[in-house]
Amino acid sequence: MTPFDLVEPASLKEAIALIDPDDPDVRPIAGGTALMLMMKAGVFRPTRLVSLRRLRNGLSQITSTMDGELKIGAMTPLTAIEHSSEVKRAAPVIARTMRRLANVRVRNAATIGGALAHADPHMDLPPVLIALGASVSIAGISSERSMTVEDLLTGYYETALAKNELITGLRIPAQGNSQAVYFKVTAGSVDDWPALGLAAAIVGEGDTVRSVRLVVSAATSKPVRLTAAEAALNGRIANEVNVKKVADIAAEEADIIADIRGSACYKRELLRVFTARAVRAAMEPRGAPH
Amino acid sequence: MNFAGDITVVAPRDAVFKALSDAPFFASCIEGVRNLEAIDATHFRAILETRVAYLRFKFKAEVELTQLSPPELIEAKVEGTPFGIVGRLTAITMTRLSETGGQTTIHYSVDATITGKLGSMGQPVLKAKAKDMEKHFTERLVAAFAIGGRGTAH
């Protein structure tokens, strides 16, 4: 590892000012769980790391409104989200997803803002957050803006963030009658990175699908909504014929990437199988285990 | 990883073949190639450096022209050793040229394998990057012929 500067600003403004927009070797670091791996692998050699550690106090709250909207500070550790009663009440799929996300040590250190900024398409939370319609708040040198998580993630390790912008928080809208599920499919050991991630959030009325969001990850270069499959399911009865048809459409529309976790053909078949399972699970009566 | 595609340039096949088998010209069409060094008429060495987001992948590449059949076929073998990460990149590239009405179509295919830690971490990333590099290569090549003759692509 080559030497680098480590700075620990005390304010958000100071942190943003320390990130050089013209130097890609200057990066903010939150929990560091992903960035350290990149540094150890030798594909990232920073000249300066801007630690956000001292911003924790102001950016690690979890709050919810009466109707179930959630707000989570960007520096909130994943463990705090996993065990938050607000999160379990408003978006239980997040707490369920956390159980198979990396391991306890990683969840203790990793932050939600850092996880989103890293933009690794194998991560479990981004597809879930996209299915839930979540958005992030972003602070720049002189302005703030918000953006959906769907728009934030633009490619492999790439986001729509300007180099001197930081994610400050996450907002998950009230889910109302929507029921969400996430399937993490590993091809090797159970705790491996997934070959496929699939999130579904469905508002059902009896057997009829009133609205649906389906998001594929890990097999693609970024988490993406399966819009053709969504359109084929919206307003339809989720019977076996329709679910099978939607699963076939999902498998056809995704731009699948082959890697060591499986060929494109294999992952496409996984997507077909797990789209059907996700739709069935999200249409189960409330309280049914997933 | 397999890539294949066609590029059409407004130039006769002989001229395109001559250009593509000229290592400095070929290298000038690829983003991130530097320190090109000719070992002999068919062996070359170069450094290839590419960025994906904030990550940097740097290779020491050795290229061998395994078959040159003017003005139709160029086959090359590329072996890349990354800096700072365990792994190896091996690629076989096949280029066939066909001419129709003063235009030459370059039919290319690349069969690349990445092994080691580089393979597990870098293969999907580099595959995504390869699409950008393909586009960039096409633009530079087409531009080089569009400005008349072979020129040098920058």
Side-chain angles (χ1 to χ4, degrees), chain A residues 13-286:
Chain A
K13 201 175 169 187
E14 199 187 332
I16 292 167
L18 282 164
I19 300 166
D20 184 344
D22 299 320
D23 186 351
D25 294 330
V26 175
R27 291 283 292 176
I29 181 166
T33 52
L35 209 58
M36 290 301 290
L37 288 179
M38 296 300 175
M39 289 166 66
K40 282 184 182 173
V43 291
F44 176 55
R45 294 184 184 87
T47 51
R48 183 198 302 154
L49 289 182
V50 180
S51 169
L52 307 178
R53 194 174 66 91
R54 292 173 69 193
L55 310 184
R56 265 189 210 144
N57 286 346
L59 291 176
S60 56
Q61 280 78 39
I62 301 175
T63 57
S64 64
T65 60
M66 288 293 284
D67 66 349
E69 178 184 283
L70 269 174
K71 283 188 177 167
I72 304 173
M75 288 296 289
T76 308
L78 299 186
T79 300
I81 298 171
E82 178 184 0
H83 297 294
S84 156
S85 54
E86 279 99 338
V87 172
K88 283 180 184 163
R89 192 170 53 243
V93 65
I94 293 178
R96 287 196 300 268
T97 300
M98 290 290 188
R99 289 181 210 147
R100 283 190 65 201
L101 190 158
N103 55 56
V104 176
R105 285 178 302 163
V106 168
R107 295 199 295 270
N108 282 342
T111 66
I112 186 68
L116 289 171
H118 184 54
D120 184 330
H122 295 96
M123 291 179 138
D124 298 303
L125 284 177
V128 173
L129 295 173
I130 292 171
L132 298 178
S135 56
V136 287
S137 44
I138 299 164
I141 202 132
S142 59
S143 62
E144 290 182 10
R145 60 180 178 140
S146 69
M147 182 185 286
T148 61
V149 174
E150 188 178 356
D151 290 338
L152 173 74
L153 305 169
T154 55
Y156 226 106
Y157 298 127
E158 288 179 327
T159 68
L161 292 172
K163 287 197 176 69
N164 56 354
E165 283 185 323
L166 290 173
I167 296 171
T168 54
L170 176 72
R171 179 188 157 272
I172 301 165
Q175 295 300 303
N177 292 326
S178 176
Q179 187 151 273
V181 294
Y182 173 67
F183 283 88
K184 174 179 190 164
V185 189
T186 54
S189 63
V190 73
D191 56 354
D192 190 10
W193 286 98
L196 175 85
L198 190 77
I202 297 181
V203 178
E205 195 180 301
D207 289 343
T208 307
V209 173
R210 290 297 171 210
S211 81
V212 56
R213 278 174 167 250
L214 295 169
V215 186
V216 60
S217 63
T220 47
S221 63
K222 62 173 189 166
V224 280
R225 281 179 65 185
L226 298 161
T227 51
E230 288 176 2
L233 190 59
N234 249 326
R236 302 272 162 78
I237 293 170
N239 57 23
E240 279 310 297
V241 173
N242 287 342
V243 169
K244 189 175 177 305
K245 197 189 290 177
V246 166
D248 287 342
I249 294 169
E252 287 312 309
E253 76 171 296
D255 189 6
I256 306 279
I257 295 178
D259 62 14
I260 58 156
R261 289 173 189 88
S263 65
C265 181
Y266 169 68
K267 291 181 182 180
R268 199 171 295 285
E269 200 50 36
L270 288 181
L271 177 56
R272 191 190 318 277
V273 169
F274 281 90
T275 298
R277 288 189 192 177
V279 171
R280 284 188 211 112
M283 287 297 286
E284 276 178 18
R286 266 182 184 275

Side-chain angles (χ1 to χ4, degrees), chain B residues 110-125:
Chain B
V110 181
D111 183 4
T113 311
I114 307 176
T115 55
K117 196 168 183 178
L118 177 72
S120 61
M121 175 183 275
Q123 180 166 311
V125 187

Side-chain angles (χ1 to χ4, degrees), chain B residues 28-104:
Chain B
S28 74
C29 293
I30 304 173
E31 193 182 7
V33 173
R34 57 186 171 81
N35 296 3
L36 179 76
E37 192 187 328
I39 301 165
D40 58 36
T42 55
H43 292 79
F44 304 90
R45 217 178 269 147
I47 302 289
L48 171 64
E49 192 168 342
T50 184
R51 272 190 181 277
V52 179
Y54 65 96
L55 307 176
R56 185 165 47 190
F57 294 89
K58 191 173 169 187
F59 297 90
K60 188 162 66 181
E62 294 201 354
V63 182
E64 181 188 357
L65 295 173
T66 48
Q67 200 179 340
L68 274 174
S69 307
E72 193 192 348
L73 176 74
I74 304 169
E75 192 185 294
K77 186 179 170 191
V78 183
E79 292 212 336
T81 311
F83 287 86
I85 180 168
V86 179
R88 195 164 187 80
L89 164 76
T90 311
I92 304 285
T93 69
M94 184 83 83
T95 311
R96 283 186 186 280
L97 307 180
S98 62
E99 187 176 339
T100 321
Q103 292 192 332
T104 300

